[in-house]
Amino acid sequence: MSHQDRVIYFFGATGDLAGHKIWPAIANLFVRQESFRVVAFGGKQAQSDDSFYDWLKNTLKDHPVQTEQWLEQVEFHSVDLLDPALELPIQLDAADIHIFYVALSTHIYRPLLERLRTFLPHPKCRIVLEKPIGTQLDDALDIQAHLRQLFSEDQIYRIDHYLGKWTVQNVLALRFANSIFEHQWNQKYIDHIQISIAETLGIENRAVFYDNIGALRDMVQNHLVQLLCLIAMEPPASLNPEAIRDERVKVLRALKPLVNHNVVRGQYLAGHIKGEAVPGYLESIPKGKSSNTETFIALKAEINNWRWAGVPFYLRTGKRLATKCCEIVVQFKSVPHPIFKNQAAFGSHNRLIFRLQPEESIKIEIFEQTNDNRRSVRPIQLSLDAPNFRGPNPDAYERLLLDALKGDPTLFVREDEWSEAWRWVDPVLREWGESEAPPYAYQAGTWGPTESINLLARERRTWEDPNA
Ligand code: BG6
């Protein structure tokens, strides 16, 4: 294939996400000698080719890509997608593969689709969409209806970059390539599961975007829900994309409806992160604006099926928390009859811990006899991780972009998964929309509002401390 054969039309090419994740991934692919061209569309940050190329060089200044060389493959256009008179400089050659990569605010999705209508349908096009697609269920379904006028479902790639992370994929390998876990993987042996995605960053340069979105739409409806599906799904019959997606969607369909009573939403106040003072959320959005947007969520999810009945899944995520980390903790039940004298005091320390970031690891926590007393035990951790044996591991966005170019949808979210996830969070979003009640406050640099601790305490459980 010559490099003319694959073209990415990148909308939102000068946004925050583009700078942080997408351009570095594109540059990595160029370094790996994947051949494709990029036609980038940006808005106000870059009015001319020169200012765009300067911005891009600066964005990638620490990246090993030979910028001058590969910039020849990147064409830039400054456009206003809301201008009805706009004609996009796009020419779709029938023989080529075209990817429309859309990293825009959800309110621009419909106008963009209207602009694309001129060129479509086209059998060799795919559209990759960043989340959130829509603001709540009815809006999301309406965008979906617009999409389906132009693309068939197998051309629509809804991206959730958590699905592209190596350890997330390794959950499937660990669960379904080994027989030793399957017998314990159910309500008989598992007490509960915790999934935490904690960030120390605030909302950075995304105030306007974030204030319209909040943590439930930004992190729960997609990343956390997808992690839950991978932990809870039944074994698929094969690694065929549809077989895997079929099992993920069954979990979503079995979720017990989410109720506000099981959700804690918080918003950060000023505080300290790693010794540095940081402003509160309200000081980070345009002056004088009041806002009930949540920057923290903790919730209890339950799955109504034989495997998981009665096993709570506690999910939490937040900005400006004590530490950056992403962890899935599978907490097993205690032995039915403890015979070591101090074991009851520990509770159960049989845990399987998947750590996705900052470093990737998998650990099992078990008891062993203490050195000085054969009647006592202590918890120890065994690491299943073997980073030294792994080769270079592509970043999530790099892997997903490559899959989109190749036409492999496995790590993308299918329409039914995506709409079920919306359906699950929608009643809570509606309730918040109708209420004046503000989110609970928490200080930056902590683990969120105390109500999040109470959510577990009322069931005599505690959150894992990822630093412990
Ligand atoms: C994005 C969210 O999807 O994920 C951001 O929009 C969040 O708000 C980011 O910061 C976290 O991703 P990662 O890979 O850095 O954990």
Side-chain angles (χ1 to χ4, degrees), residues 21 131 161-162 165 199 206 218 223 319 357:
K21 308 255 193 204
K131 41 101 271 206
H161 76 280
Y162 268 67
K165 291 184 188 254
E199 297 183 84
R206 303 197 304 162
D218 189 41
H223 304 327
K319 302 271 183 207
Q357 46 196 42

Side-chain angles (χ1 to χ4, degrees), residues 70-191:
W70 76 271
L71 280 186
E72 287 167 18
Q73 310 299 334
V74 179
E75 175 184 323
F76 176 72
H77 300 273
S78 176
V79 291
D80 175 2
L81 291 167
L82 296 177
D83 174 1
L86 172 71
E87 284 182 22
L88 286 170
I90 292 181
Q91 275 195 340
L92 302 188
D93 186 315
D96 293 350
I97 290 171
H98 305 275
I99 308 284
F100 297 109
Y101 194 109
V102 187
L104 296 167
S105 283
T106 185
H107 75 280
I108 311 181
Y109 278 23
R110 272 170 288 239
L112 171 69
L113 290 171
E114 278 316 304
R115 303 282 88 77
L116 295 183
R117 193 177 283 281
T118 330
F119 316 102
L120 296 167
H122 183 295
K124 288 200 177 164
C125 280
R126 294 178 199 130
I127 185 163
V128 180
L129 296 157
E130 282 290 344
K131 41 101 271 206
I133 310 170
T135 50
Q136 46 191 57
L137 180 64
D138 47 8
D139 182 44
L141 293 178
D142 183 64
I143 295 179
Q144 171 64 16
H146 276 71
L147 271 169
R148 287 306 301 272
Q149 290 172 12
L150 304 178
F151 299 93
S152 56
E153 177 60 22
D154 61 2
Q155 294 176 299
I156 304 173
Y157 286 57
R158 296 171 196 82
I159 203 164
D160 183 323
H161 76 280
Y162 268 67
L163 286 180
K165 291 184 188 254
W166 183 86
T167 321
V168 174
Q169 284 315 298
N170 206 20
V171 171
L172 289 189
L174 202 83
R175 285 197 57 201
F176 303 131
N178 300 298
S179 60
I180 52 173
F181 296 108
E182 174 56 19
H183 304 291
Q184 335 293 330
W185 212 257
N186 55 48
Q187 42 76 27
K188 197 164 168 207
Y189 295 102
I190 292 179
D191 179 73

